[in-house]
Amino acid sequence: MQPITTNTPIAVIGAGAMGSGIAQVAAQAGHQVFLLDQRAGAAESGRQSIAKQLQRRVDRGKMDQQALDALLARIQPIEKLSELAEAGLVIEAIIEDLDIKRSLLADLEGVCSNNAILATNTSSISVTALGANMEHPERLVGMHFFNPAPLMALVEVIKGLATSDEVAQCVYATAAQWGKKPVTATSTPGFIVNRVARPFYAESLRLLQEQATDSATLDAIVREAGGFRMGAFELTDLIGHDVNYAVTSSVFNSYYQDTRFLPSLVQKELVEAGRLGRKNGQGFYSYAEGSQKPEPATVEAASSDADTLIVEGSSGPLAALVTRLSESGLTIIERDGPGRLRFGEAVLALTDGRMATERAAAEACNNLILVDLAFDYAKASRLAIAAADQATPEATADACALLQKAGIAVSQIADRPALVIMRTLATLANEAADAALHGVASVSDIDLAMKAGLNYPEGPLRWSDNLGSSLLHTVLTHLQQSYGEDRYRPALLLRENRFAEKGFYS
């Protein structure tokens, strides 16, 4: 399917940050853009906001003044809906209210030509529900941009029950022509990103509530071990807790209170206290003038008399860590065993979802120290560990000293199942697998959405494949056993892959 040609006008309704951003994207692609807002003067203000932002690029030599002038000339603020009659694609970016959006779509059907495509930028409302009262719901499609629209690559193209394949394909091709990375999804609660991303926030919030460690330490682990751009607390402070909590609650209620999407009491308290994050100066962190972000908890330099690392059996995902340790000058001895590392009194193993204390008892290994997952052990600057209650202080010190020899900062957290990165990835991949199972989107589109929409270091399903089909299934099974909750039940597709010994991409 061909994209909409650049000689076809585009209309954007809503001149707030999102609507203005979409208008800029369309104008940059060469379209004439009609920008409409019901608030007097808002469309012109939106155009001026675009001009102000792009002028900075001109001043820095990253954009030509002539190109800016031409772009602004293509954006035409208008005041009446009737002036949209020539538009071939109309994108609404107004308030997230079903009735208000339905009313607008009904009006648009009376104004626009029968060939015009109507698109909604909704992030949470069903496209099927929006189109239910339309005369021609087949021409309604979701076109979900991410904020800021000019910078964020992802566009979710959402098919409602009545959306025609031709309309969805045309919008997909148009988004690609505009320089975006489109993905196709069905109209289910949260679509791809706002559904699959829920565990990223939920698991850090749960660990905080369980007093595993503090927010600054959890954020540091997520960044420095997991490879994510921001930790959950930094990100929700940026998004706004009112917004993030509302999305979580919406997805939770839309899925009939499935415990996988259970909102956090910690975040609820912040919202009720009016601590919404950056927007009003206080969230998990203070943004008042002169305030400093707290430092993560880091184990002080530990000493150990040991100079030999014994690798018992396959080190699995820890292989890159072993290589890094060998490069630090340690002597490495390899022998048969259950997949553990021995250094001095410490016995280190990758978390499998059980608490260290439970696993130490089951495996008769008192000095067990569990190591968290890292996106790339060769580059990770921080790792989380948890010690079994049975472990001696000397064993914990040896474990810390070992990791510090490789230049890794160590954050010891309380003994909680699956630690931080492992439980975050396991639950993200589990939700992604469930979305794929139910046909929300393809495996590749789900991974692309999480990378392009949220800057994840890797798509959760590809990351799962890289670790092997059984690991995350084992972790989730142990999490479910530890908590006794459906929240951690392994998705059927993940379970199938585990027993078929295959990956999502094989």
Side-chain angles (χ1 to χ4, degrees):
M1 178 63 67
Q2 294 297 311
I4 295 172
T5 59
T6 54
N7 59 8
T8 301
I10 305 296
V12 179
I13 303 176
M18 180 60 78
S20 295
I22 296 170
Q24 178 183 327
V25 170
Q28 284 175 332
H31 294 271
Q32 179 186 6
V33 180
F34 301 126
L35 183 59
L36 173 66
D37 197 293
Q38 66 173 359
R39 298 167 296 159
E44 178 58 37
S45 294
R47 183 177 181 275
Q48 291 175 5
S49 176
I50 295 169
K52 183 178 180 180
Q53 293 178 39
L54 292 180
Q55 187 63 50
R56 297 192 190 103
R57 292 181 56 83
V58 173
D59 295 342
R60 295 195 298 266
K62 295 185 176 181
M63 186 178 189
D64 183 79
Q65 183 66 53
Q66 187 176 0
L68 172 57
D69 293 341
L71 185 153
L72 293 174
R74 289 193 291 272
I75 300 176
Q76 179 181 344
I78 61 174
E79 297 180 355
K80 298 178 182 178
L81 210 62
S82 59
E83 298 178 73
L84 302 181
E86 298 178 11
L89 169 64
V90 181
I91 305 170
E92 70 81 9
I94 64 172
I95 187 171
E96 285 287 273
D97 183 285
L98 175 63
D99 292 334
I100 294 175
K101 287 181 184 288
R102 277 180 169 176
S103 177
L104 173 60
L105 291 168
D107 291 341
L108 287 172
E109 283 199 295
V111 170
C112 300
S113 72
N114 291 335
N115 294 325
I117 295 173
L118 305 182
T120 172
N121 184 58
T122 182
S123 61
S124 60
I125 300 176
S126 164
V127 175
T128 298
L130 286 171
N133 296 337
M134 292 177 61
E135 291 184 16
H136 297 286
E138 67 276 3
R139 62 169 167 166
L140 176 66
V141 64
M143 197 175 187
H144 182 209
F145 290 79
F146 288 75
N147 198 27
L151 299 180
M152 297 301 291
L154 182 67
V155 174
E156 291 179 321
V157 178
I158 314 300
K159 292 182 63 177
L161 195 60
T163 304
S164 75
D165 290 339
E166 292 75 16
V167 164
Q169 290 166 10
C170 178
V171 167
Y172 183 101
T174 300
Q177 180 175 267
W178 291 358
K180 298 301 181 182
K181 294 182 178 179
V183 294
T184 302
T186 56
S187 182
T188 53
F191 311 139
I192 303 173
V193 170
N194 279 331
R195 172 184 176 172
V196 176
R198 299 318 339 136
F200 179 80
Y201 314 108
E203 294 310 315
S204 282
L205 283 162
R206 184 163 208 170
L207 285 167
L208 183 67
Q209 187 170 352
E210 293 176 349
Q211 302 182 74
T213 186
D214 58 82
S215 56
T217 304
L218 287 166
D219 276 349
I221 293 166
V222 168
R223 290 193 315 272
E224 299 171 33
F228 294 90
R229 290 277 186 90
M230 302 177 77
F233 307 110
E234 298 166 311
L235 185 53
T236 50
D237 269 7
L238 178 64
I239 294 168
H241 292 287
D242 51 342
V243 174
N244 188 261
Y245 181 75
V247 172
T248 300
S249 298
S250 174
V251 173
F252 176 63
N253 290 322
S254 295
Y255 280 102
Y256 307 108
Q257 291 78 50
D258 191 319
T259 55
R260 287 177 303 162
F261 308 110
L262 184 68
S264 167
L265 290 174
V266 172
Q267 192 172 41
K268 182 174 183 286
E269 283 282 288
L270 286 179
V271 173
E272 291 177 344
R275 298 186 175 189
L276 306 182
R278 287 180 179 268
K279 67 174 69 178
N280 68 352
Q282 180 68 57
F284 285 107
Y285 306 110
S286 172
Y287 301 93
E289 185 177 354
S291 63
Q292 293 186 342
K293 188 175 178 182
E295 292 295 322
T298 304
V299 176
E300 294 182 0
S303 62
S304 174
D305 295 331
D307 59 5
T308 300
L309 176 65
I310 300 173
V311 180
E312 297 183 332
S314 171
S315 51
L318 293 178
L321 177 60
V322 172
T323 299
R324 183 171 173 177
L325 289 166
S326 69
E327 293 169 352
S328 72
L330 284 174
T331 300
I332 307 294
I333 297 176
E334 297 183 0
R335 66 190 189 196
D336 291 339
R340 298 173 180 168
L341 309 180
R342 289 184 178 271
F343 185 75
E345 297 294 317
V347 181
L348 296 89
L350 179 67
T351 176
D352 67 357
R354 289 177 288 178
M355 291 187 294
T357 302
E358 176 186 1
R359 185 169 168 183
E363 298 179 1
C365 179
N366 287 346
N367 284 336
L368 182 65
I369 312 295
L370 293 184
V371 180
D372 199 5
L373 181 66
F375 175 64
D376 184 353
Y377 285 107
K379 298 178 180 178
S381 58
R382 181 178 300 272
L383 285 175
I385 65 168
D389 284 0
Q390 303 94 318
T392 65
E394 292 76 15
T396 303
D398 283 341
C400 293
L402 172 66
L403 298 176
Q404 289 167 350
K405 286 180 182 294
I408 297 171
V410 180
S411 289
Q412 183 177 355
I413 70 170
D415 187 15
R416 301 291 180 263
L419 281 81
V420 182
I421 304 303
M422 183 66 87
R423 75 151 60 189
T424 298
L425 174 61
T427 49
L428 283 171
N430 200 42
E431 195 54 47
D434 206 55
L437 177 71
H438 292 115
V440 173
S442 67
V443 164
S444 58
D445 270 5
I446 291 170
D447 273 351
L448 174 59
M450 304 314 289
K451 291 182 68 177
L454 293 176
N455 293 312
Y456 282 10
E458 182 58 275
L461 298 177
R462 176 68 73 182
W463 194 348
S464 174
D465 277 6
N466 292 343
L467 293 172
S469 59
S470 65
L471 178 57
L472 295 189
H473 180 270
T474 298
V475 169
L476 288 161
T477 300
H478 287 151
L479 278 166
Q480 188 179 27
Q481 291 170 350
S482 293
Y483 287 100
E485 298 176 10
D486 258 4
R487 174 179 177 133
Y488 300 108
R489 66 185 186 276
L492 286 178
L493 190 55
L494 193 70
R495 184 176 177 84
E496 177 186 347
N497 285 355
R498 181 260 179 272
F499 289 104
E501 297 183 350
K502 66 180 182 180
F504 293 100
Y505 287 88
S506 61

